[in-house]
Amino acid sequence: MDESLEQEIQTNAEDQENEIVTEGSAFVHGEPSQDGSVPPKVDSEVEVLDEKVSKQIIKEGHGSKPSKYSTCFLHYRAWTKHSQHKFEDTWQEQQPIELVLGKEKQVMAGLAIGVSSMKSGERALLHVGWELAYGKEGNFSFPNVPPMADLLYEVEVIGFDETKEGKARSDMTVEERIGAADRRKMDGNALFKDEKLEEAMQQYEMAIAYMGDDFMFQLYGKYQDMALAVKNPCHLNMAACLIKLKRYDEAIGHCNIVLTEEEKNPKALFRRGKAKAELGQMESAREDFRKAQKYAPDDKAIRRELRAVAEQEKAVYQKQKEMYKGIFGGKEEGSAKAKSRNWLIVFWQWLVSLFYRIFGRNRVKAD
């Protein structure tokens, strides 16, 4: 991320305005490295957590582990172990799930045992026996799981809230949910300042998880404004982190989410343009920068990026010009040589013809 973008984020954090937080979706740290069609191949040591649950770590986490009644936020994929049929994927749905340890449904008992052994940011493959999953009968609605099916879970713990009463989001008031999201946002800001981008994004993801679609659809008036004042800055700051990590497509996705709510948001336009420019999409980047400049005409960073795009396009044009000059210039040179040879042949033919004419006349006179 360039210096101007980082300064902008630092200034916003100091002012405690809205900027620096992420979203609970597939864009962020939870994006799996594999395509997810089949369970990942893991060669780490198998840790037995229960008679019916074992774990293999894919990526180490950090910090402490959640305790009973902690509200955990996680992404996971689930397969039946025997057929490797995938029946659920929260990454694909772009929404993390919330799991209150000790209050989980029976079908998630094995998953909860695995999650309770994991740290924030940890990703693991869980092996769960059917007794602690969908049981002897299975499930024939959604998700569709056959009877007595052992399961495999690829799980990532985004983070967790330690609450004595194990209060789920659905049991919170509007003010409580917005407040919890805002605290996560501020925690993310502090981590960002320390350059702990992955950890910051985990906080941002948890903040956005409080602002899910099911919640936002119910809001109007001042409560909707309060929620957007936390949610949209989370997406914008997430985009800033992702640009710094060179994950440009994901950054564009977060900016798009903001622009669906606020199409004239200059920060969203600027950061999307920045990501597009890094991907070489110069024409589209310039369009975003010009729109951003329209809504923030005094922003020096926007003017600087517009100049950079113009200079880069000029450099590309000069390079193409030299390349085409080499291709077509060679043909012109060859054509000139060919024309020179043709004139020489014509002159020689004319000279020979003239000689024969003169020789022929002299011969007639002699006869």
Side-chain angles (χ1 to χ4, degrees):
M1 179 169 57
D2 64 20
E3 184 178 353
S4 64
L5 188 58
E6 189 161 356
Q7 287 175 350
E8 179 189 357
I9 292 175
Q10 296 283 12
T11 300
N12 289 337
E14 290 168 5
D15 294 341
Q16 292 192 7
E17 289 187 352
N18 302 340
E19 317 303 49
I20 290 191
V21 187
T22 176
E23 131 109 271
S25 75
F27 299 117
V28 297
H29 174 71
E31 183 78 29
S33 57
Q34 303 181 35
D35 65 6
S37 59
V38 296
K41 295 181 179 179
V42 185
D43 56 8
S44 60
E45 183 181 352
V46 177
E47 179 183 355
V48 177
L49 306 175
D50 181 89
E51 186 181 352
K52 298 296 180 181
V53 183
S54 61
K55 180 180 81 168
Q56 291 177 278
I57 295 176
I58 299 173
K59 188 186 72 174
E60 296 285 348
H62 57 83
S64 60
K65 297 175 182 178
S67 58
K68 190 174 182 179
Y69 299 131
S70 293
T71 301
C72 302
F73 299 93
L74 54 134
H75 274 302
Y76 70 80
R77 288 191 177 104
W79 298 264
T80 54
K81 191 170 185 177
H82 177 67
S83 65
Q84 296 198 349
H85 162 66
K86 184 173 74 171
F87 61 87
E88 202 164 6
D89 188 341
T90 66
W91 277 294
Q92 194 173 53
E93 295 162 8
Q94 298 189 356
Q95 282 293 328
I97 71 153
E98 173 190 308
L99 182 66
V100 179
L101 298 179
K103 293 189 175 184
E104 68 278 351
K105 298 176 182 178
Q106 177 58 36
V107 295
M108 304 187 85
L111 176 62
I113 291 172
V115 170
S116 66
S117 73
M118 297 172 67
K119 301 175 181 179
S120 293
E122 182 178 330
R123 184 182 297 163
L125 182 67
L126 301 180
H127 303 253
V128 177
W130 61 266
E131 295 89 345
L132 295 178
Y134 287 86
K136 189 174 182 179
E137 302 297 327
N139 192 60
F140 292 97
S141 58
F142 178 82
N144 185 6
V145 182
M148 301 178 68
D150 294 336
L151 304 182
L152 292 173
Y153 286 99
E154 180 186 2
V155 185
E156 177 160 355
V157 174
I158 300 165
F160 56 88
D161 279 330
E162 291 283 9
T163 53
K164 293 181 180 178
E165 69 279 10
K167 198 169 188 178
R169 288 175 296 175
S170 57
D171 297 329
M172 292 181 175
T173 65
V174 172
E175 290 87 348
E176 285 175 334
R177 285 183 71 158
I178 295 173
D182 192 55
R183 286 191 295 275
R184 288 293 180 182
K185 184 189 77 168
M186 300 312 296
D187 289 343
N189 293 353
L191 289 165
F192 179 86
K193 286 181 180 181
D194 293 336
E195 292 293 318
K196 297 178 180 178
L197 299 181
E198 294 285 351
E199 295 175 34
M201 288 197 295
Q202 289 171 1
Q203 296 299 318
Y204 300 153
E205 228 189 335
M206 291 176 67
I208 297 296
Y210 282 104
M211 304 284 105
D213 291 341
D214 57 338
F215 176 68
M216 297 300 295
F217 287 149
Q218 302 174 41
L219 302 181
Y220 59 91
K222 72 170 186 178
Y223 290 116
Q224 186 179 53
D225 293 339
M226 288 168 61
L228 287 174
V230 175
K231 181 177 182 288
N232 282 350
C234 290
H235 288 296
L236 291 174
N237 293 306
M238 187 66 178
C241 290
L242 291 165
I243 288 171
K244 192 166 185 179
L245 292 170
K246 303 185 186 301
R247 291 158 60 176
Y248 304 118
D249 287 323
E250 295 173 68
I252 290 170
H254 281 280
C255 293
N256 288 341
I257 291 172
V258 175
L259 291 169
T260 57
E261 298 283 352
E262 302 176 40
E263 63 179 356
K264 298 180 181 180
N265 189 301
K267 288 186 175 71
L269 289 164
F270 173 78
R271 291 178 188 173
R272 187 173 72 174
K274 180 74 176 173
K276 287 179 177 179
E278 294 290 349
L279 291 171
Q281 302 170 10
M282 292 304 169
E283 186 174 345
S284 184
R286 183 174 61 247
E287 184 179 349
D288 277 346
F289 288 140
R290 284 177 176 172
K291 286 181 181 178
Q293 190 176 47
K294 180 180 178 181
Y295 304 124
D298 298 327
D299 194 303
K300 294 180 181 179
I302 296 172
R303 288 200 295 268
R304 187 161 52 247
E305 290 299 330
L306 277 169
R307 286 196 301 270
V309 168
E311 289 171 4
Q312 189 163 348
E313 286 185 326
K314 185 178 178 180
V316 170
Y317 172 75
Q318 290 295 334
K319 188 175 181 180
Q320 291 176 340
K321 186 177 178 182
E322 291 297 322
M323 181 177 68
Y324 290 130
K325 183 179 178 182
I327 294 171
F328 295 112
K331 289 184 177 180
E332 290 175 1
E333 184 179 347
S335 178
K337 289 181 179 179
K339 287 180 180 178
S340 177
R341 286 195 298 269
N342 289 341
W343 279 108
L344 187 61
I345 292 169
V346 170
F347 176 74
W348 176 252
Q349 289 173 340
W350 175 81
L351 191 63
V352 170
S353 175
L354 180 64
F355 174 77
Y356 275 110
R357 273 199 220 101
I358 295 172
F359 180 77
R361 286 178 184 176
N362 291 338
R363 188 173 179 182
V364 170
K365 288 179 181 179
D367 290 343

